[in-house]
Amino acid sequence: MTATVLIADDEPNILITLEFLLQRAGYQVLLARDGDEALQAIQAQRPDLVLLDVMMPRRSGFEVCQAVRADEALAATRILMLTAKGRDTDQAKGLALGADAYVTKPFSTKDLLAQVQALLEAPR
Amino acid sequence: MLSPALVVGTALAYLAALFALAAWADRRGAAGRSVIANPWVYALSLGAYCTAWTYFGSVGRAASGGLWFLPIYLGPTLAMVLGWVVVRKMLRVARAQRITSIADFIASRHGKSPLLAGAVTLITVVGIVPYIALQLKAVATGVALLTTPPGAAAAPPPAWWQDPTAAVAALLAGFTMVFGTRHLDGAERHEGLVAAVAAESVVKLLAFTAVGVFACWGLFDGPADVFARAAADPALRGLLRLAPEGARFAHESWSGLLLLAGLSVLCLPRQFQLMVVENVDERHLKRAVWAFPAYLLAINLFVLPLALAGLLLGGGAAQADGFVLSLPLAHGQPGLALAAFVGGLSAATGMVVVETIAVSTMVCNDLVVPALLRLRRFAAAPAGWLRGIRRAAIAAVLGLGYAYFRLAGEAHALVSIGLISFAAVAQFAPALLGGLYWKGGTRAGALAGLGAGFALWAWTLLLPSLARSGWWPGADLLQHGPAGLALLRPEQLLGLQGLDGLTHALVWSLGANLALYVGVSLVRRPDAAEVAQALRFVDGAGHPAGGADAAPVFWRGRARPADLQALLARFLGPARAQAALDQHARERGLPGAAALPGDARLVQFAETQLAGAIGSATARVVVARSVEEEALGLDDVLRIVDEASQLRQYAQALEHAGAELRAANERLQELDRLKDDFMSSVTHELRTPLTSIRALSELMRDDPGLAPAQRQQFLAIIVAEAERLGRLVDQVLDMAKIEAGQADWRSAAVDLPALLQRAAQTTAELLHGRGATLVLELPDTAAGPVPPVLADEDRLLQVLLNLLSNAAKFVPAGRGRVVLALACGPEGATVTVQDNGPGVPPAQQALVFEKFRQGGDAAHRPAGTGLGLPISRQIVEHFGGRLWLRSDPGQGATFGFTLPWPTAPAAAPAAQDQTGDPP
Amino acid sequence: MFQGLTAQRLLALFGAGWALLSFPLITLWAPEATLLGLPLLPLAVFGLWAALIAVLALLVERAGDA
C-alpha cells in the first residue's frame, strides 16, 4: 500500500516541485499551504509522513510539529522539517521538538527522496 | 496720646499672639508638616536684620544725613550676591560638622579650639548686650511717645518692677526659653521660633509701609510733593544730595559702611543663626539670596519720604527717630500709630529673641560647660543640666541687656551702639571667611587676629563712645591721647586723619585682624588637628550630606562603645543617644547599636553628635577624655586624606568604566541580534527560489521522459524563480549600499509631473492585468508650472514603481482603483498613492517599513521581497523628505512622500554626488 | 574658589553693583534734577538697587542645584 505524504509549504512553486517529485516516486501526496491547513490535514487524513516547512503563515512548522507530537493519536506520523533558515539553532530546535529529520533548502532531490524512504521504512 | 493701658495691653496681646504662632508652628513641625520648610519663610526670617534700631533709627539717620542710611542695606544686598556661593559652602560644612553657632564654626575650623570658642563668645557678649539694650530702649521710648500727653515732659523712668519694658524683657526671655531650648541636638530646628521671626518680618514691613503711605498721601500729595517741598526748603535740600552743600562726598565712609554692613549680614550672631544654623534645606538659599535684599528695599522705600515729611511738618531732626509714631499720632491717626508701635515691637522682639538664642548657646557651650567640666562634680551630672544651663544663660543675657538699658539711659553710649556692634562682630570675618577658603589658617592666627581686632575696636570705637557719654574718666583722652601720647589718640590712631570714627576704626581693627590672621598662621605649619579640620571645611564642602563612607576618618586609638554610648546619653538623653547610635549602625550595615565596633568611625560619629549639643570644641574635649587616643601627627593626617581621596578616585573611575562597558555590551548585543536577524532573513529569502530552481532542474535532468507540457511548466517556474532571485539580490545589494553610504546618488532637477506620468505608463500593464484603474491627479498648471525638486530621477522612479506595484498587489481584483496624485505645498511637493485595498491595521503600519516584512493578509502574501518599502524610505529620506503611510483598515491605504523644494535656485545643474552619504 | 559659570557671573554682578552703588559712579546722580517728579539721586539709587536684585534673582533661580 502506498504511503501518504503531506507537503506543507507556503511557496506555491515549492509545492508544485515537491508534489511532482513525490508523486513520481509513487507516494500519495496531500498539500497544505499554511500551518493551520497542515495540522487539520494531519489530524483528518493521518498521513504517514509530513514534509513540514518551518516558515509558514498562521502557524509555523515548529508549532505544528509540537502540536503533532503532543497528540498521542498522531504518534505514528513522521515529520521531516524543511527550511531555508541558516541557523543551526533552528535545526536543534526542530529535532528537540520531535521532528524525525531536518533538511535545509535548497536540497538535492535525490537526498530528499532517500530521506523520505528511510523514514517510511524505519520501524516505529 | 493713648492710654498706657491700651499700649501696654496691645504689646502684651501681640506677644501672646506670637507665642501662639510659635506653638502652632512647633506642633506642625512635630507632625511632619513643617511650616519652615518653605523658602519664603526662610527668606523672611532673615528680615530680622531690620531691628528697632533700623525701624526707628533709619528715619532718624535720614533726617540728618539724607541717603546715608542706605549703605546699611546696600551692603547686605551686595553680600548676598556672593551669598549663593559663599553661604552655600558654609551651609554644607555646618550641616556636616553639626555647627551650633558662629563661635562653634570658627573654633571647629581652627582645630576645635576651646580657647577660640571662648574668645568669640566674649566678644559677642560685649558687642551684643548693648545692642539688645537698644532694642529694649526703643520699646520703652515708643511706649513713652504714645502715652505722654503732647507738650508734657517725659515721665521719669519707673522702678524696674513697675517698668513695662521689664515685663517685655521677661516675656521675651520666657518665649526664648520655651521655643529655643526644646531641642539640644543641632539637627533639630526651632520651628516655632523661625516661624515667629518670619511673621514678625511681615508685620514690620506692613506697619512701616502703612505709615509711609499715610505720610505721603495722607499728609501730602504723594512722594513727589514731599520731595518737591523738601527741595524748595533750603534747610532740607541738602538731604537729597550725597553730601551737604560745598562738602566733599565722603566716599570712604560710604564704602566703609557698605563693607561693614555686608560683613555683618553673616557675622551678626542672629544672622548666622537664622541663615546657617536654622537652615533646613540649602536650596532655600536660592530664594533667600534675592528675596532678602528685596525685603530690605521694600522696607526702606518710605524712609526718606517719611523723614522729610516729618521735618516739613515741624519736627526737629533730634526727634526724627520717633516720626514713625509721632506723625500718625499728631495727625489724628492713633490707630495707625499703635500699629506702627506694634511694628516697632516686632522689630525689637525679633532681634532680641534670635540674638539671645545665639548668644546663650555660645555662652553655654563655650564658656559655662567648659568651666564646669573642670569641676569633677560635673562628670556625674545628668543630661538635664544642659538645658538648664541654656535657660539660665538666656535669662542672664536678657537681664544684662535690661540692666545696661537702665544704666545707660539717654547716654550717647546707647544710641550709637548699633554700628559699634556691627564693627565688633565684623572682627569674626577674617577667621570665618578665611577659614572657609584658606587651608593655611591656624588657631594661633585666628586668636591673634581676633585679639588684635577686638583690642583695636575697643580702643578706637568703644572707648570714644564711653568717653563721650561721660563714663570714662579723663575726658581729654580723645583730644590728647592716653598720658598725652598724641599718636595713640583713639580717633586718630598713629596720625591717621580725615576719616570718620567708624571708618577709621574699621581700617585699623579689620586691617590688623586680617594681617595677623594671615601673618601668624604662616609662621608655623598647621598641626594635625588644624589640617584635619581645614580639609573638612575647605575641601569637604563639595559633597553635600553624602559620602559617609568616603569621608576620611581622622582618629586613631581605642574606645569602648559602651563608654561612648554613656557619654552620648549624658548630653543628649538616653533615648536620643540610642536612636542616633542605631541609625549609625544601620548606615554601616549593622543590625543595631550593640554591634558597633569601638573604632575610629564610631568615635568620630559620637563626637559629631555631641558637637550638635555642646559645640565641637567642648565635644572634642569630652570625647578625648572618654577614650584612649593616640595623637595623630601631621603626616598621619595627610596620609589618611591621600588614601581616602585616591580610593574615592578609583571608585569613581571603576564606576565609570563599568557603566561604559555595560552600555557598550548592550549595544553590541543589539547589533548582533539585528545582524543575525537580517542575515537569517536574507539567507531565507535567497534560498527559497533556489530550492525550486535546483529541485526542478534536477527533476528535468533525471527524467528525460518528461512530458513537454510539464517541462515547459517547470522551465517557466525556473525562469521566474531565477528572476525573482535576481531581483532579490539586486535589492539586497541596493539596501546594503544605501545603508553603508556607498550608493551612487545623482541630484538634478526633476520634473515631477512628467515623472509621475512615466510611472503611470510603466505600471499601466500591471494594473490592467489586475483589473484595476489608475487615476493620475496632477496640479492645475494654470497656476504656473510645478517647480522642480532636486533628486535622483531614477531613484524616484524606483520609489513610484514600488508604491504603485504594491498598490496593484493589494487592490481587490476587478474593481481596484489606484490614485496617483501630486500636490504642491509651501514646504515641498507631496506625492500620494492611494488604493482601495484592505488597508493596513494600525499595529502593522510601522512594520511594513521593516526589512523583509510583507503586509497584507498572511494567507495571501503576494510575491515580493519585502525590501521595497525600506529602500523607498531610504531614498526619500536621502533627499530630505519623508515617506509615510496612512490607512484605516477596510478603507484602503495611502502611501505618500514629501520632497522639499530646493532652497537654492533649482537652476543648479546636475551635481554628481558620488559619495552618497545620507544628509 | 569661584568655579562655574553662575559663580563667575555672580562675582561680576558683585563688582558691577559695588561700582555702581559706590564712589565714583554713584556721583553720576549727584546733580540736582528731577525725573518723574522725584529727585534724581534717590530715584537712581533705588532703581539701580532694584535692578541689581532682579538680575541676582534671574541668575540664581536659573542656576542648577550643584
Side-chain angles (χ1 to χ4, degrees):
Chain A
M1 78 164 180
T2 43
T4 328
V5 177
L6 171 70
I7 310 176
D9 198 314
D10 58 330
E11 285 281 334
N13 288 336
I14 295 188
L15 274 179
I16 295 175
T17 311
L18 286 173
E19 185 188 12
F20 186 88
L21 181 67
L22 290 171
Q23 272 179 346
R24 204 192 54 173
Y27 300 105
Q28 184 122 24
V29 172
L30 303 166
L31 298 178
R33 278 168 200 77
D34 61 57
D36 280 346
E37 259 189 57
L39 196 55
Q40 274 168 356
I42 295 173
Q43 283 161 342
Q45 321 242 11
R46 306 290 168 101
D48 300 299
L49 174 76
V50 177
L51 281 178
L52 198 50
D53 180 28
V54 168
M55 298 293 290
M56 282 195 291
R58 293 255 176 86
R59 218 186 270 249
S60 79
F62 289 133
E63 289 169 334
V64 173
C65 181
Q66 215 171 0
V68 167
R69 283 295 169 245
D71 190 344
E72 276 297 311
L74 304 171
T77 317
R78 287 137 181 98
I79 299 183
L80 182 83
M81 301 207 76
L82 292 169
T83 192
K85 279 206 144 203
R87 297 197 265 214
D88 14 81
T89 43
D90 293 310
Q91 192 164 359
K93 187 173 173 185
L95 292 173
L97 284 174
D100 296 293
Y102 203 98
V103 171
T104 49
K105 300 179 195 173
F107 45 76
S108 145
T109 42
K110 259 205 234 340
D111 284 342
L112 185 65
L113 276 180
Q115 285 258 35
V116 166
Q117 213 163 8
L119 280 177
L120 283 173
E121 283 170 9
R124 195 85 162 104
Chain B
M1 56 153 274
L2 302 164
S3 78
L6 178 61
V7 174
V8 175
T10 311
L12 294 177
Y14 176 74
L15 287 176
L18 219 55
F19 260 88
L21 176 67
W24 169 78
D26 254 348
R27 240 198 330 272
R28 281 209 30 171
R33 294 176 310 153
S34 168
V35 166
I36 67 173
N38 178 326
W40 292 108
V41 174
Y42 175 67
L44 277 174
S45 73
L46 298 179
Y49 181 77
C50 301
T51 68
W53 177 59
T54 60
Y55 192 82
F56 297 111
S58 285
V59 180
R61 284 176 74 87
S64 48
L67 279 174
W68 279 80
F69 70 95
L70 267 185
I72 301 183
Y73 308 97
L74 291 176
T77 304
L78 287 173
M80 292 309 262
V81 171
L82 299 178
W84 175 239
V85 179
V86 176
V87 179
R88 198 159 47 124
K89 185 169 184 179
M90 214 171 265
L91 283 178
R92 289 179 180 172
V93 171
R95 173 128 338 119
Q97 305 295 316
R98 300 181 96 89
I99 299 293
T100 57
S101 68
I102 193 170
D104 197 11
F105 192 97
I106 295 178
S108 176
R109 157 62 182 84
H110 295 94
K112 299 193 182 177
S113 156
L115 189 56
L116 204 44
V120 173
T121 306
L122 279 173
I123 295 176
T124 310
V125 171
V126 170
I128 294 299
V129 163
Y131 200 173
I132 292 181
L134 187 60
Q135 307 303 309
L136 296 174
K137 175 169 174 56
V139 172
T141 313
V143 171
L145 227 154
L146 288 177
T147 57
T148 312
W160 65 268
W161 57 85
Q162 289 172 329
D163 187 356
T165 314
V168 169
L171 280 172
L172 288 179
F175 183 89
T176 311
M177 281 191 228
V178 168
F179 294 107
T181 57
R182 291 226 156 146
H183 317 288
L184 294 177
D185 180 352
E188 307 246 358
R189 298 287 171 261
H190 300 110
E191 306 251 347
L193 204 100
V194 173
V197 173
E200 290 200 304
S201 294
V202 176
V203 171
K204 276 187 299 214
L205 181 61
L206 290 177
F208 195 87
T209 308
V211 177
V213 165
F214 168 71
C216 286
W217 282 277
L219 301 176
F220 292 85
D221 286 327
D225 185 24
V226 177
F227 284 117
R229 294 221 213 154
D233 184 337
L236 300 183
R237 194 184 307 147
L239 295 177
L240 298 174
R241 306 160 55 91
L242 284 173
E245 296 284 344
R248 171 188 76 89
F249 170 49
H251 64 262
E252 66 281 349
S253 302
W254 185 273
S255 302
L257 275 174
L258 279 181
L259 176 67
L260 186 59
L263 290 177
S264 69
V265 87
L266 197 52
C267 297
L268 279 171
R270 70 175 181 277
Q271 295 302 119
F272 191 87
Q273 181 79 19
L274 288 166
M275 191 146 53
V276 178
V277 178
E278 297 286 349
N279 173 269
V280 168
D281 182 341
E282 77 167 35
R283 289 170 301 181
H284 292 176
L285 191 60
K286 248 196 228 185
R287 192 65 46 79
V289 149
W290 63 267
F292 171 51
Y295 177 86
L296 293 177
L297 190 147
I299 205 170
N300 280 291
L301 217 44
F302 283 102
V303 168
L304 195 54
L306 198 53
L308 292 174
L311 290 171
L312 282 169
L313 290 173
Q319 297 135 359
D321 279 353
F323 279 174
V324 182
L325 298 177
S326 61
L327 273 185
L329 195 60
H331 292 91
Q333 297 283 351
L336 186 58
L338 194 59
F341 171 71
V342 169
L345 187 64
S346 296
T349 55
M351 180 276 186
V352 169
V353 163
V354 186
E355 207 78 70
T356 307
I357 289 225
V359 175
S360 65
T361 305
M362 285 196 259
V363 165
C364 168
N365 287 353
D366 302 312
L367 288 182
V368 176
V369 170
L372 284 181
L373 280 179
R374 284 185 218 268
L375 305 171
R376 261 171 296 127
R377 213 165 13 141
F378 191 63
W385 272 57
L386 205 56
R387 188 168 284 134
I389 298 173
R390 244 345 126 72
R391 290 186 168 158
I394 289 174
V397 167
L398 267 166
L400 274 175
Y402 181 71
Y404 193 98
F405 151 64
R406 290 299 296 237
L407 291 172
E410 292 300 324
H412 177 79
L414 196 57
V415 302
S416 59
I417 203 68
L419 285 175
I420 298 181
S421 288
F422 275 30
V425 298
Q427 303 308 319
F428 302 150
L432 186 66
L433 296 172
L436 196 57
Y437 285 102
W438 183 41
K439 285 186 266 218
T442 66
R443 182 187 316 123
L447 276 171
L450 265 179
F454 181 69
L456 282 167
W457 167 83
W459 184 255
T460 58
L461 213 48
L462 188 62
L463 205 53
S465 120
L466 293 178
R468 285 212 179 81
S469 50
W471 290 6
W472 192 261
D476 62 346
L477 186 66
L478 296 176
Q479 262 69 38
H480 304 300
L485 290 166
L487 269 185
L488 292 179
R489 272 176 302 163
E491 288 182 324
Q492 288 90 25
L493 197 55
L494 297 187
L496 184 61
Q497 301 212 353
L499 296 172
D500 73 285
L502 186 65
T503 317
H504 171 265
L506 270 185
V507 166
W508 283 115
S509 58
L510 276 182
N513 191 336
L514 192 57
L516 280 175
Y517 178 64
V518 172
V520 174
S521 296
L522 289 175
V523 162
R524 191 180 48 79
R525 291 182 141 263
D527 66 26
E530 286 163 338
V531 167
Q533 288 302 97
L535 287 166
R536 285 211 180 96
F537 275 64
V538 179
D539 287 345
H543 329 287
D549 276 345
V553 174
F554 299 109
W555 195 85
R556 211 165 51 190
R558 273 175 301 285
R560 291 216 312 243
D563 285 346
L564 288 171
Q565 180 150 5
L567 192 63
L568 280 176
R570 245 180 68 200
F571 289 99
L572 303 179
R576 169 161 250 108
Q578 183 70 37
L581 284 171
D582 280 335
Q583 167 84 359
H584 180 68
R586 266 198 302 276
E587 277 170 9
R588 287 173 70 169
L590 297 168
L596 284 169
D599 65 359
R601 269 176 70 187
L602 178 64
V603 172
Q604 193 152 289
F605 173 74
E607 200 177 305
T608 314
Q609 289 296 116
L610 277 179
I614 56 177
S616 5
T618 316
R620 174 94 282 273
V621 169
V622 161
V623 166
R625 278 208 214 153
S626 306
V627 301
E628 274 176 46
E629 265 189 3
E630 289 169 26
L632 276 181
L634 186 57
D635 297 330
D636 299 320
V637 168
L638 292 176
R639 194 171 29 85
I640 292 176
V641 167
D642 244 350
E643 283 171 7
S645 74
Q646 268 179 15
L647 269 172
R648 214 187 350 250
Q649 279 173 4
Y650 283 149
Q652 274 179 1
L654 265 175
E655 176 91 28
H656 258 302
E660 275 180 18
L661 263 175
R662 261 193 301 277
N665 202 28
E666 273 176 28
R667 271 199 303 274
L668 271 175
Q669 279 180 352
E670 184 66 32
L671 280 175
D672 219 24
R673 248 197 314 275
L674 284 176
K675 194 168 60 75
D676 270 350
D677 282 345
F678 182 67
M679 285 311 297
S680 159
S681 304
V682 168
T683 49
H684 180 273
E685 294 299 317
L686 291 176
R687 282 178 176 161
T688 302
L690 271 178
T691 310
S692 312
I693 295 174
R694 177 176 176 178
L696 288 173
S697 306
E698 284 184 2
L699 277 174
M700 288 195 298
R701 176 197 64 190
D702 294 338
D703 189 358
L706 201 58
Q710 190 71 290
R711 190 188 302 270
Q712 282 306 106
Q713 184 200 18
F714 284 177
L715 282 170
I717 293 177
I718 290 174
V719 169
E721 291 290 82
E723 284 177 344
R724 174 179 165 193
L725 190 57
R727 268 199 309 275
L728 189 64
V729 169
D730 283 340
Q731 287 205 319
V732 169
L733 280 176
D734 212 11
M735 187 91 228
K737 270 167 77 175
I738 293 180
E739 287 201 325
Q742 299 289 337
D744 296 333
W745 298 98
R746 263 177 299 162
S747 201
V750 173
D751 182 10
L752 280 173
L755 188 67
L756 261 63
Q757 277 169 340
R758 243 176 82 190
Q761 274 167 356
T762 313
T763 52
E765 288 258 356
L766 177 64
L767 287 162
H768 281 315
R770 298 257 319 168
T773 47
L774 173 64
V775 176
L776 183 59
E777 284 180 10
L778 294 173
D780 188 3
T781 46
V786 174
V789 294
L790 278 181
D792 184 330
E793 186 156 356
D794 292 335
R795 291 292 191 180
L796 277 191
L797 187 60
Q798 185 181 350
V799 173
L800 286 171
L801 292 178
N802 173 234
L803 294 180
L804 285 170
S805 61
N806 281 348
K809 279 183 214 154
F810 285 95
V811 288
R815 53 181 187 86
R817 187 183 135 89
V818 177
V819 178
L820 173 62
L822 169 64
C824 295
E827 298 286 311
T830 305
V831 176
T832 49
V833 174
Q834 181 181 16
D835 67 72
N836 62 342
V840 181
Q844 289 187 17
Q845 284 183 13
L847 290 181
V848 295
F849 291 101
E850 285 184 25
K851 298 188 257 264
F852 298 126
R853 292 242 201 242
Q854 289 177 284
D857 199 348
H860 303 104
R861 202 154 15 106
T865 57
L867 280 179
L869 277 175
I871 293 181
S872 297
R873 180 170 253 181
Q874 291 273 34
I875 293 173
V876 168
E877 285 181 356
H878 178 89
F879 291 109
R882 242 184 3 108
L883 179 64
W884 39 263
L885 162 64
R886 220 187 11 247
S887 171
D888 294 314
Q891 312 248 349
T894 305
F895 282 85
F897 62 91
T898 53
L899 284 171
W901 300 126
T903 44
Q912 293 266 0
D913 184 4
Q914 289 293 339
T915 59
D917 286 319
Chain C
M1 194 204 291
F2 276 85
Q3 272 117 18
L5 190 56
T6 308
Q8 288 172 359
R9 283 180 177 155
L10 289 173
L11 200 53
L13 186 64
F14 175 80
W18 188 287
L20 282 170
L21 290 170
S22 174
F23 190 81
L25 292 179
I26 199 173
T27 57
L28 277 178
W29 316 106
E32 298 196 21
T34 63
L35 187 64
L36 308 173
L38 301 166
L40 188 60
L41 185 61
L43 188 63
V45 172
F46 271 85
L48 285 172
W49 192 6
L52 181 65
I53 295 176
V55 174
L56 177 60
L58 237 117
L59 278 181
V60 158
E61 290 283 357
R62 288 244 195 100
D65 277 336

